[in-house]
Each structure stands twice: as C-alpha cells, then as structure tokens.
Amino acid sequence: MGVKPVVCIVGRPNVGKSTLFNRLVGSRLAIVQDEPGVTRDRLYGAGDWDGLEFVLVDTGGLTPSIDATLARSILAQARVGIEEADAILFVLDVREGITGEDRDVAALLRQSGKPVLLAANKADGPAAALGASEFYELGLGEVHALSAQHGRNVGELLDDLTAVLRARAAGVEPEDDQSEEAIRVALVGRPNAGKSSLVNQLVKEERMLVDDAPGTTRDPVDSPWEAAGQRFVLVDTAGMRRKRSIALDMEKLAVLKAMRALERTDVACLVLDAGETPSDQDARIAGLAAQNGRAMLLLVNKMDLVPEGSQRWKEQRQAIAERLRFVSWAPVVPVSARSGYGLGALPKALLEAHGQWDRRLSTAVVNRFLEDVVSAHHPAAHQGREVKLYYASQVSSRPPTFVFSVNNPEALQESSRRYLANRLREAFGFEGTPIRLVFRRRRRRGDSEP
C-alpha cells in the first residue's frame, strides 16, 4: 500500500504559487489575489500526472529576510511543509528577476537536501522566457520557464517532477510493517479523545505519552499487537483539529502525518469521546477515512463515564447516527481505555471489518443480484431517456468496487445510485467498509476507442 509522495510549493509572496497550485490540482482551492501574503497557511490538494498521484502543499510566501511577525509565521509554515516534502517546487517571477529574498530562499532549500525544481513563472512569451536563464545563478539545477496562469510549459515541469518522485521512490527501502499479514490499524480523531491511552491499554505497556494537553502525540507511532491469533500494527496519530484552532507548527505537521497514515492503513478507528456530541471535525475525519477507501470502526471511548444502558448513552448513539449518517456502515464499538471495557471485542470487530473490506464477489453472483434489483425496481427515465443496466462485476477490493454497464450513465439519477448501493449492502453486508460504484457506458460493436 503506497504512500503518496508530497510536493511542497514555495517562493516569495505574489510570484504565482497559488495559481500554479490551482493549475496542478485542477481546481481553485487556493485564493489567488495580487496582494502579497494572501496564502498564510498551508493548503493541501491532490495531483496526478502520468499515472502518478501525489499530494501538493501550497505554502505562504517565504520572506526570510523580513522580521515581521507574519513573515516569520509564513516562513515557519513553509519550513514545516519542506520538512515533510519529497520534492519542492521553487516558484520565481521572471518579470522581477532574482531578488535578495530569492537567494535567501535558495539557501534554505539547499540546506533541506530535498530535490528542488525551479519554476520560473510569468514567462508568458518567448521574450519573457529568455529572462528565466538568470535563475541558473541560484545553483539549483534546471530552470522551467512557464506560465501558471495560461498553462504554458506546465506539462514539461510535471514530466520532470514525476521523474524525480519515481526515482526517489525507487531508492527508498520498503517499510517494515512486521509482516505482510499484519493488519494496519490507524487510530484517528480529535485531540484528547484517548487514542494514546487506548494503544497503551491494548499493548499493555506505557508505549505512548499520555497527557491531558491536546496535541501531545505529534508523530504517527507504530505499535505491534497480537490478538485473536492475528498480528496488528496500531498507528497512533496526532489529534486532528480545525485549521483555525491549530496554533503550533508541529501540530500542523502532525495533521499532515495523520492524513498520510490513513493512506497506509487498512482499518481506520475514529475515536470519539462518549461525553461529547460528535462535532463537525469528527465528521470531517470520518470523511477523510472514507474518501481514502479505508475500512472503519467508530470507537466511542470513555464509556466508564457513560453507562451503556443509560439514557445518556441512548442519546449519544442517536447523535452519532445523525451526525455521521454518511458512514452508517461503520460499526459503533463502545470502549474504555481506563477500565478496559469493550476492548476484548475489538479484535473480532477489526477482523470482520477488514474481511468485508477485502471481500470479493464473483461476477455471476453480482449479475444475479443486478437481475433481481432491476426486476424489482427499474431505474426511472430521465428527461425522456430510458436507463438500462446491462451487467455488473466487482473489479477490485480494498474497498469493494463495482462497475455497472449502462446505456446512459449521465441519465442515471442519484436516487438510483443510492438505491443500488443500499441494496448491495442489504444483500451482502459489507459492514465496516465503504463500497464504490462506477457506471460506464456500454460499448457496442463499431464504437471507436475513446
């Protein structure tokens, strides 16, 4: 299970970092404005080029020589992004040429030891592109003259970037996760929900630092654990909080590390506090795990404070069902790190969720299911266009992914898609795992290749 490489975009304010970020992720996630310093925090997005997926980090403008509070904060933000990066895009402004601050940034990047690609931005024409040769003075290698705004030469930059990332990945030793048979379990959630205490209780040693102060855990830590005849690797991650409530740069780095931990895990355990109503942040974390296609359990910790048969617990279960209804397939497991309550049932719950996540149905079984579903509820016509479902198959697991052949995929209404997903779960369970449905137009004889 590969971890996506991280690419950090750095440079002085107003050189076009956010414009390049938006170009690379194919959206307008970053705020683009002429006023320097608009991007003050790091922003994450997904990039994909030539079959290689990577995470992009847009940072605030680097201004190492300015002693203002904001400038120091932006520099700290960028340093955190650089620390976590596998490669760095250093964006420069062709129109302004090399500045003293560019030289300071170049020195910082050389100290990092990370691969650096120079993006000489705002080279909107041949004349401007000629000015990019000046940046070879920085001693950081090849200069890519491009226009982020118009997309000029961005493809060539991405070609070189993916080559660097692939070369770097080829030289990295594979992670030692104890065994290929070990199931990786990431404990994720808001700070102070009791993730580290749960790990300590499960492995029966004070392996994690436990403190009441939120944010004590800053790096994902792997702990081997064996239960029910199965090897597990427990990954305790930093608590995730809303961006605006994160004050320390180390905690911000920890959020990125936790997000990356989700990419290399099998089962995500979202740890909730039995004494608190699920928050928007809990929902966001659940969404991240589901989006990454991970099996999931909802561990409701601190049950020593809320008796399971009490009215308080019934209200809490209802609140969880309502707030996290989009992951209603994730089993709720009440536990207590302090008393050990419920932890005996955890290995079985993990194995069942992992088994469903890894489950594979034969094509014959899936098509019999489709015939029964269509005969009971034919998809409604949309704008006079009839919708026909021809056949289906499960093309992969981890998570279970199904492809349906249909005459008009764009005419298949969302209600029909939800109906199929619900019927799949009714027929086959899949408790503890997301499922993915893909609808493709049926190819007919004589159709040309796309």
Side-chain angles (χ1 to χ4, degrees):
M1 184 179 303
V3 178
K4 295 176 187 175
V6 173
V7 179
C8 184
I9 302 177
V10 303
R12 290 184 295 107
N14 214 31
V15 294
K17 297 183 302 301
S18 295
T19 303
L20 181 60
F21 175 89
N22 290 337
R23 171 72 63 176
L24 298 183
V25 302
S27 66
R28 297 185 61 82
L29 291 176
I31 300 171
V32 179
Q33 190 169 315
D34 288 339
E35 180 184 353
V38 170
T39 305
R40 298 182 180 183
D41 210 339
R42 296 187 315 285
L43 184 66
Y44 307 111
D48 184 349
W49 186 258
D50 192 26
L52 179 65
E53 296 181 348
F54 49 90
V55 175
L56 279 164
V57 183
D58 182 24
T59 66
L62 280 168
T63 52
S65 60
I66 298 177
D67 195 30
T69 301
L70 176 59
R72 289 200 304 272
S73 174
I74 290 172
L75 178 58
Q77 282 288 323
R79 277 182 169 148
V80 169
I82 291 169
E83 179 183 341
E84 187 64 13
D86 295 293
I88 298 161
L89 294 181
F90 182 13
V91 184
L92 303 133
D93 189 333
V94 168
R95 299 172 186 173
E96 294 187 13
I98 297 179
T99 68
E101 290 170 354
D102 288 331
R103 298 183 191 278
D104 291 343
V105 173
L108 177 66
L109 295 178
R110 279 194 292 269
Q111 293 171 9
S112 75
K114 301 291 179 72
V116 179
L117 288 85
L118 297 182
N121 192 29
K122 305 183 184 180
D124 300 315
L130 289 174
S133 60
E134 176 185 1
F135 296 115
Y136 282 99
E137 290 183 28
L138 297 175
L140 289 170
E142 183 71 21
V143 178
H144 298 79
L146 56 86
S147 171
Q149 183 175 1
H150 300 107
R152 183 176 185 267
N153 292 337
V154 172
E156 288 80 354
L157 173 68
L158 283 168
D159 287 340
D160 286 355
L161 173 63
T162 52
V164 166
L165 293 176
R166 285 193 168 103
R168 186 174 175 85
V172 175
E173 293 296 322
E175 295 181 15
D176 180 11
D177 63 353
Q178 306 294 320
S179 167
E180 286 296 322
E181 298 178 356
I183 296 175
R184 296 188 65 88
V185 179
L187 279 74
V188 296
R190 287 184 292 154
N192 223 25
K195 298 182 298 298
S196 296
S197 296
L198 282 169
V199 172
N200 289 339
Q201 181 69 258
L202 291 170
V203 301
K204 302 300 182 185
E205 59 178 293
E206 289 297 321
R207 194 178 183 93
M208 304 294 169
L209 173 65
V210 178
D211 195 290
D212 287 338
T216 303
T217 304
R218 295 210 171 110
D219 284 303
V221 180
D222 292 357
S223 300
W225 174 49
E226 189 165 343
Q230 173 65 47
R231 288 184 179 182
F232 297 92
V233 175
L234 302 176
V235 182
D236 179 32
T237 63
M240 297 183 183
R241 286 189 281 171
R242 288 186 183 277
K243 187 183 297 183
R244 64 171 177 267
S245 69
I246 300 175
L248 300 176
D249 289 321
M250 289 180 67
E251 290 186 37
K252 293 176 180 177
L253 176 59
V255 172
L256 178 56
K257 287 181 180 292
M259 291 171 65
R260 296 188 74 183
L262 283 172
E263 294 179 2
R264 61 187 183 93
T265 198
D266 301 320
V267 185
C269 289
L270 173 56
V271 182
L272 304 169
D273 190 324
E276 298 183 11
T277 302
S279 68
D280 289 346
Q281 185 67 349
D282 290 321
R284 176 175 176 269
I285 297 169
L288 283 172
Q291 186 177 359
N292 275 276
R294 304 302 161 212
M296 192 188 316
L297 300 179
L298 305 179
L299 300 190
V300 185
N301 190 28
K302 306 183 184 180
M303 287 298 295
D304 49 296
L305 305 178
V306 183
E308 190 167 353
S310 65
Q311 181 62 30
R312 175 88 175 275
W313 172 239
K314 293 178 183 178
E315 293 172 354
Q316 180 73 332
R317 281 297 303 261
Q318 183 63 29
I320 292 171
E322 291 177 357
R323 189 67 191 86
L324 303 179
R325 58 186 176 276
F326 61 95
V327 290
S328 59
W329 42 263
V332 175
V333 182
V335 297
S336 170
R338 176 171 295 181
S339 68
Y341 172 83
L343 294 182
L346 183 56
K348 181 181 179 182
L350 289 169
L351 287 170
E352 288 178 350
H354 183 272
Q356 294 297 309
W357 181 65
D358 197 33
R359 188 178 177 190
R360 203 64 189 257
L361 301 177
S362 70
T363 298
V365 167
V366 176
N367 275 299
R368 281 199 299 271
F369 157 81
L370 182 61
E371 290 174 6
D372 293 341
V373 167
V374 172
S375 62
H377 179 84
H378 196 281
H382 179 63
Q383 296 181 347
R385 304 172 68 184
E386 185 182 19
V387 177
K388 292 183 178 179
L389 294 166
Y390 297 107
Y391 58 86
S393 64
Q394 183 180 350
V395 295
S396 65
S397 58
R398 301 191 170 198
T401 302
F402 299 86
V403 171
F404 292 82
S405 175
V406 60
N407 63 332
N408 292 316
E410 63 278 3
L412 191 65
Q413 299 183 59
E414 185 60 32
S415 59
S416 295
R417 296 168 189 253
R418 287 196 303 268
Y419 175 79
L420 283 170
N422 292 337
R423 296 295 81 77
L424 267 171
R425 291 195 181 277
E426 286 182 6
F428 305 111
F430 290 117
E431 187 177 24
T433 180
I435 58 175
R436 291 176 175 169
L437 275 57
V438 179
F439 298 91
R440 291 180 179 165
R441 184 181 300 278
R442 183 187 187 185
R443 298 277 312 278
R444 294 173 296 184
R445 290 183 182 180
D447 286 352
S448 60
E449 291 291 334

